[in-house]
């Protein structure tokens, strides 16, 4: 059937035709028909304004909906009524506001109410202030009354202290149902295994102990033998080969491809050796000797694989015939000999073939049993190998003094670039002769500089240290002096050189005293006006020979001749005096050079007082006071009068001094308070001090708090709070507050300690106190935190860790940590005292020797600071006592502090 073709297809649509209009469809409009979609800004804004205006149009403005209605008399009357109402409400609101403002103005403020009471507080005396009860006392009184009231309750019967609580409903229900009350605690576990808390605690202690050990031991790198390590690696690699057949095939292909390659043959032989087949290994290496006769490594490997004795010697004899110039082969052949004569014969034969080998000459000389034969051999050696410094020095050591000098002169001409020859000449002069060692080394430095072979400065210092280690101090000092110009440029100033010399001396002071001494001499010569250089040189001599040695006095005598106005040098020279007369003469010279120096006058006072010349000491102080002395002079005067037993003169001196210097010396205030007869006068003195200078020193606040703590803890707490306001970040004030709270409540003290550690996160005294206040299971964790935050070099933290180990009966660990504490800060006397208490508490062999050694170390360190040490050392009863005696007194005083149990 043929399709029907519509006659309208392909024809234009009639006018006004819309597709689908008969089915109800409508036409659509495109964007091109209506224009752009976004309206202009002005049109939008105008339309919005019109909308807003229509929206909020007032209905009473006679426009809009009611604009066409008439305005009648009723409308006018209603408007008047509403206007009167609005006016009345506005008047009422204004009246309320006026009344409230007048009431506020008539009512006085709280400050006005309390102003009169504040004026009355000014008239209160210190005793009236002290009689005011604190909150804690009132609370305690109320609690006591409540307990009496409860005890008097007749319902409690014979047990007035019993506390009653309400019975829960579950218990009543159980009784009613007949089940009763279950008073037992079930020990069963619903699910899972039971937890062994003891094992967990032991594991935790082990972890903390490991952390403490790691903190106490410095990280050290273990040395590794490189050759042995590589050998072990090669052995493991060889033994780790699983398929020997494959390895043999691979190595065989290598040797077949390169039959003259020695490394392939050696690897194949070692493979068989690792496979425990020495015969095959020897067969392979023998074939290698035939294929590679010019390889030293092959011949040496063959000698190693063959059994020692005739077989090895046979291999080496073939080797020296094949390689007559191979030094290593000749040395191996000599070592293979079983007799000394055979060894000497082989070495001499080797020298015939290789006369220029230094190694063969050294081996031949070392094989000679007779010194005369060795000397002859060395004489021939230096003629054959004149460039070998070792052979020249060996010959010089075997010759007598005069001949050795000639030998070294010949060596110097033969090897002009060697510093060792010059050093050997200087050693020879110091050991055997009387020549000028310094002159020899000055010539050495000039000659080496001229030949362009001068050693570096570090090389010179290494040679000096070696000479000092060999017991040649003159050579050591001469080397340092000869190298004074090494490493410096022409534009370096004398101050730069002096600083460099002093830095090197400080670095070498512990390891090489002679070199450090020579360097300080160079520094003093380069900068004679530097007080620091002279004091460092004196400190070196003092550390090596003691404080009153002749070496110290010699250095300081040269120093004061160069710097007569340096008070510190004069004072150190007076301290180094062997006697009072000598020290008095030194101070007289010092005062003549510095007539206005208070430090020298006070040193003279101390000298006279120590010598028992009290009248002369008092006279010197009076002259210094009359001359307008500083606060220190007044303090020394008061202390001297107190030491002599004249309390009234001491009090007058302290009072006069603090009146003259009220805000510059807290020690005068403290001394006056100590010299007062009663606590009230001392409290008044400290109150005046704190009012005059509240930020002068924490010690004033601590003294006031300690005085108030005897009468009232809350009052002492208030004093410490005021102190922290004026001096906010003082660890001493926080520590005193924590200890004060600990006397009342340990939990409160721990909370306060947490605040203190937030304010002072690096304070070692606070971290040490945290370890002491921690419960026994938490002490190790607290000590780890203390070491992490305060540092492993804080003496108080190290001391408390040592005490922790001592409490655990681990003396070695405790002794090590006490050593760390005293090494970190030798001036901390408390660490020495705690160590003495620990050593005295032990019952071990060698206790007396350890205590004596500790006392000697403390005497040398001469500590002056700590928490307990200054209190004991500055007590009037401790005047004139030695450091050892004060150490024992401090150890006894530490028994009153918090202990670890």
């Amino acid at each position: 059937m043929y399709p029907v073709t519509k006659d309208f297809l392909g024809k234009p649509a009639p006018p006004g035709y819309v597709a689908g209009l008969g089915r109800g469809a409508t036409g659509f409009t495109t964007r091109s028909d209506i224009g752009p979609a976004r309206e202009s800004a002005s049109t939008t804004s105008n339309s919005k304004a019109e909308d807003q205006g229509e929206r909020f149009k007032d209905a009473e403005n006679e426009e809009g909906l009611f604009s066409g209605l008439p305005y009648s008399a009723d409308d006018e009357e209603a408007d008047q009524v509403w206007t009167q109402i609005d006016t009345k409400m506005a008047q009422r609101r204004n009246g309320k506001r006026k009344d409230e403002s007048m009431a506020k103005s008539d009512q006085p403020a709280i400050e006005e109410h309390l102003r009169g009471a504040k004026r009355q507080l000014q008239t209160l005396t210190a005793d009236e202030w002290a009689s005011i009860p604190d909150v804690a006392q009132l609370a305690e009184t109320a609690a006591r009354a409540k307990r009496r009231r409860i005890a008097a309750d007749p319902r409690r019967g014979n047990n007035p202290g019993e506390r009653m609580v309400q019975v829960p409903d579950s218990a009543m229900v159980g009784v009613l149902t007949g089940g009763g009350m279950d008073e037992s605690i079930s020990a069963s576990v619903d699910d899972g295994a039971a937890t062994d808390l003891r094992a967990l605690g032991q594991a935790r202690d082990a972890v903390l102990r490991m952390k403490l050990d790691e903190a106490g031991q410095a990280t050290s790198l273990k040395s590794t033998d490189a050759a042995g390590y590589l050998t072990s690696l090669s052995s493991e690699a060889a033994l780790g080969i699983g398929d020997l057949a494959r390895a043999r095939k691979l190595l065989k292909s290598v040797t077949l491809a390169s039959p003259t390659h020695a490394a392939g043959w050696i690897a194949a032989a070692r493979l068989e050796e690792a496979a425990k087949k020495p015969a095959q290994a020897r067969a392979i290496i023998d074939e290698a000797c035939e294929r590679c006769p010019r390889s030293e490594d092959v011949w040496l490997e063959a000698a190693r694989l063959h059994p020692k004795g005739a077989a090895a010697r046979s291999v080496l004899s073939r080797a020296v015939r094949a390689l007559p110039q191979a030094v290593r082969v000749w040395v191996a052949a000599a070592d293979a000999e079983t007799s000394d004569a055979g060894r000497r014969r082989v070495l001499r034969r080797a020298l015939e073939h290789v006369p220029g080998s230094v190694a063969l000459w050294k081996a031949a000389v070392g094989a000679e049993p007779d010194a005369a034969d060795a000397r002859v051999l060395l004489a021939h050696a230096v003629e054959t190998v004149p460039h070998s410094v070792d052979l020249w020095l060996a010959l010089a050591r075997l010759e007598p003094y005069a001949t050795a000098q000639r030998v070294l002169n010949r060596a110097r001409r033969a090897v002009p670039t060697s510093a060792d020859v010059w050093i050997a000449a200087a050693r020879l002069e110091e050991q055997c002769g009387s020549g000028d060692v310094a002159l020899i080394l000055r010539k050495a430095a000039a000659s080496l500089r001229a030949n362009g072979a001068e050693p570096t400065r570090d090389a010179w210092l290494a040679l000096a240290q070696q000479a000092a280690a060999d017991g040649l101090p003159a050579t050591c000092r001469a080397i340092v002096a000869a190298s004074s110009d090494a490493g410096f440029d022409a534009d370096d100033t004398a101050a730069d050189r002096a600083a460099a010399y002093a830095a090197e001396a400080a670095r070498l002071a512990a390891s090489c005293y002679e070199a450090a001494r020579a360097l300080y001499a160079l520094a003093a010569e380069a900068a004679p006006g530097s007080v620091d250089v002279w004091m460092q040189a004196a400190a070196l001599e003092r550390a090596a020979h003691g404080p009153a040695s002749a070496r110290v006095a010699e250095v300081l005598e040269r120093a004061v001749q160069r710097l007569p106005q340096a008070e510190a040098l004069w004072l150190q020279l007076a301290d180094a005096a062997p006697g009072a007369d000598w020290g008095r003469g030194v101070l007289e010279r010092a005062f003549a050079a510095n007539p206005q120096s208070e430090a020298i006058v006070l040193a003279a006072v101390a000298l006279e007082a120590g010598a028992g010349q009290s009248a002369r000491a008092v006279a010197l102080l009076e002259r210094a006071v009359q001359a307008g002395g500083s606060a220190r002079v007044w303090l020394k005067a008061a202390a001297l009068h107190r030491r002599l037993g004249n309390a009234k003169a001491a009090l007058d001196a302290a009072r006069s001094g603090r009146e003259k210097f009220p805000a510059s010396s807290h020690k005068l205030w403290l001394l006056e308070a100590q010299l007062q007869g009663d606590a009230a006068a001392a409290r008044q003195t400290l109150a005046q001090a704190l009012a005059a200078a509240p930020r002068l020193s924490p010690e004033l606040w601590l003294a006031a708090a300690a005085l108030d703590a005897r009468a009232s803890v809350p009052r002492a707490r208030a004093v410490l709070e005021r102190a922290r306001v004026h001096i906010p970040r003082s660890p001493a004030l926080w520590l005193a507050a924590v200890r004060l709270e600990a006397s009342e409540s340990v939990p409160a003290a721990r909370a306060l300690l947490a605040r203190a550690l937030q304010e002072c996160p690096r304070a070692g005294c606070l971290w040490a106190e945290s370890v002491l206040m921690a419960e026994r299971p938490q002490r190790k964790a607290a000590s780890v935190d203390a070491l992490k935050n305060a540092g492993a070099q804080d003496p108080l933290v190290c001391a408390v860790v040592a005490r922790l180990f001592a409490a655990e009966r681990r003396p070695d660990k405790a002794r090590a940590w006490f050593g760390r504490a005293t090494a970190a800060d030798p001036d901390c006397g408390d660490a020495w005292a705690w160590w003495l208490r620990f050593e005295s508490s032990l019952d071990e062999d060698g206790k007396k020797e350890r205590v004596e050694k500790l006392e000697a170390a403390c005497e040398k360190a001469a500590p002056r600071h700590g928490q307990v040490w200054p209190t004991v050392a500055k007590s009037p009863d401790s005047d004139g006592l030695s450091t050892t005696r004060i150490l024992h007194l401090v150890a006894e005083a530490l028994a009153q502090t918090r202990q670890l149990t």
Side-chain angles (χ1 to χ4, degrees), residues 6 8 20 63 126 189 211 296 714 752 870:
K6 305 295 184 182
F8 56 84
E63 295 179 0
V189 181
K211 289 184 178 180
E296 295 184 22
L752 186 61

Side-chain angles (χ1 to χ4, degrees), residues 595-856:
Q596 303 297 327
S597 175
E598 287 185 356
I600 295 176
V601 173
L602 294 178
V605 169
L607 178 65
E608 299 295 347
Q613 301 294 330
S614 303
R616 298 181 66 175
V618 172
L620 288 172
L621 277 176
E622 290 178 354
R623 286 171 51 190
V625 167
Q626 293 174 2
S630 63
R632 186 184 178 195
V633 174
W634 288 98
L635 180 64
K636 293 294 183 181
L640 180 61
H641 286 300
R642 183 179 68 169
R643 180 180 178 182
L644 297 177
N646 193 349
K648 185 177 182 304
L651 182 59
D652 293 340
R655 183 176 292 114
S656 301
R658 62 92 172 166
E659 289 176 355
K660 191 173 182 180
F661 305 97
S664 60
S665 178
H666 67 281
K667 294 183 178 179
L668 285 171
W669 289 102
L670 292 174
L671 186 58
E672 182 183 356
Q674 293 173 4
L675 293 171
Q676 297 288 350
D678 57 343
R683 187 179 293 109
Q684 183 178 2
T685 300
L686 292 174
Q688 295 176 4
L690 295 176
R695 293 180 176 85
L696 182 58
S697 174
E699 295 183 13
L700 292 173
W701 293 99
L702 293 175
L707 194 61
D708 288 335
R710 301 174 186 175
S712 174
V713 172
R715 193 181 308 146
R717 185 186 298 115
V719 170
L720 291 174
E721 289 178 355
R722 288 174 52 209
R724 295 198 299 273
V725 172
H726 292 287
I727 309 174
R729 295 184 181 275
S730 175
L733 293 176
W734 280 107
L735 180 61
V738 169
R739 290 178 176 176
L740 182 66
E741 292 295 336
S743 63
E744 295 289 323
S745 173
V746 175
R750 289 173 180 158
L752 186 61
L753 181 60
R755 290 176 51 200
L757 291 175
Q758 291 178 353
E759 290 287 332
C760 307
R762 298 295 180 185
C765 60
L766 295 177
W767 283 107
E769 192 71 16
S770 68
V771 177
L772 295 175
M773 293 186 64
E775 296 291 342
R776 188 181 182 91
Q778 284 82 32
R779 285 176 183 171
K780 289 184 179 179
S783 62
V784 172
D785 293 338
L787 290 171
K788 185 186 303 180
N789 291 277
Q793 298 300 320
D794 189 277
L796 296 178
V797 174
C798 292
V800 79
V801 172
R803 293 167 58 190
L804 185 65
F805 282 117
E808 295 180 354
R809 298 292 189 267
R810 300 176 66 185
D812 295 335
K813 288 285 186 181
R815 195 173 290 114
W817 278 96
F818 276 126
R820 290 193 62 180
T822 54
D825 187 7
D827 195 47
C828 181
D830 290 7
W832 294 100
W834 281 115
W835 195 354
L836 179 64
R837 282 183 59 83
F838 164 70
E839 295 291 354
S840 301
S841 65
L842 297 178
D843 189 10
E844 298 179 354
D845 295 336
K847 170 183 176 181
K848 182 178 180 181
E849 290 76 8
R850 285 193 296 269
V851 170
E852 291 177 353
K853 185 178 180 181
L854 177 61
E855 291 174 350

Side-chain angles (χ1 to χ4, degrees), residues 221-225:
L221 297 176
K222 296 182 180 179
S223 60
T224 304
D225 184 8

Side-chain angles (χ1 to χ4, degrees), residues 227-452:
Y229 182 67
L230 293 175
T231 304
S232 63
L233 283 181
S234 62
S235 300
E236 292 177 1
L239 293 175
I241 297 175
D243 192 359
L244 291 176
R246 183 172 177 273
R248 288 192 185 99
K249 184 177 181 180
L250 178 63
L251 290 175
K252 185 176 181 181
S253 64
V254 171
T255 55
L256 290 176
S258 301
T260 59
H261 184 59
W265 291 103
I266 294 174
R270 290 183 178 178
L271 176 65
E272 299 299 336
E273 181 185 14
K276 307 300 182 182
K277 295 183 177 181
Q280 295 183 10
R282 286 192 290 270
I284 292 173
I285 203 66
D286 290 339
E287 185 178 357
C289 292
E290 296 177 359
R291 297 295 184 91
C292 308
R294 310 300 299 175
S295 174
E296 295 184 22
D297 295 331
V298 169
W299 287 109
L300 293 175
E301 186 69 17
R304 187 185 69 82
L305 291 175
H306 283 77
K308 294 182 179 180
R313 288 197 299 272
S314 175
V315 171
L316 290 171
S317 64
R318 292 162 51 200
V320 296
R321 286 194 296 269
L323 298 170
Q325 303 295 323
V327 176
R328 289 194 301 160
V329 175
W330 282 109
V331 172
D335 294 337
E337 294 292 333
T338 57
S339 62
D340 294 337
R343 177 179 172 81
R344 290 194 297 271
R345 183 176 62 254
V346 171
L347 289 173
R348 291 183 179 181
R349 183 72 178 274
L351 289 173
E352 293 177 0
H353 289 84
V354 195
S357 174
V358 177
L360 290 176
W361 282 110
K362 288 182 179 180
V365 171
E368 294 293 338
D370 189 11
D373 295 338
R375 190 183 304 117
V376 173
L377 197 60
L378 279 172
H380 187 52
V382 295
E383 295 294 340
T384 306
V385 192
H387 63 275
S388 176
V389 177
D390 294 337
L391 296 178
W392 284 108
L393 296 181
L395 179 60
R397 283 193 292 266
L398 294 177
E399 296 288 353
Y401 171 61
T403 308
Q405 283 182 320
R406 292 193 294 270
V407 169
L408 291 175
N409 289 331
R410 292 168 55 198
R412 177 173 51 82
R413 289 189 294 269
V415 192
T417 59
S418 175
D420 294 335
V421 176
W422 291 97
I423 299 296
R427 288 168 170 263
L428 180 65
E429 292 298 330
E430 184 176 1
Q431 291 174 344
C432 305
S434 58
D436 191 352
V437 177
L439 178 61
I440 293 174
L441 286 170
R442 284 198 299 270
K443 290 182 179 180
S447 175
L448 293 172
R449 193 179 302 112
N451 288 282

Side-chain angles (χ1 to χ4, degrees), residues 440-492:
I440 293 174
L441 286 170
R442 284 198 299 270
K443 290 182 179 180
S447 175
L448 293 172
R449 193 179 302 112
N451 288 282
E454 184 181 13
T456 62
R457 184 159 192 80
D458 292 337
W460 278 116
L461 294 178
L463 292 172
Q465 294 181 67
Q466 185 59 44
D470 294 340
L472 300 170
T475 302
C476 174
R477 294 192 297 269
I479 292 173
V480 173
S483 63
S484 58
D485 295 333
F488 294 103
D489 298 330
D491 55 348
D492 290 332

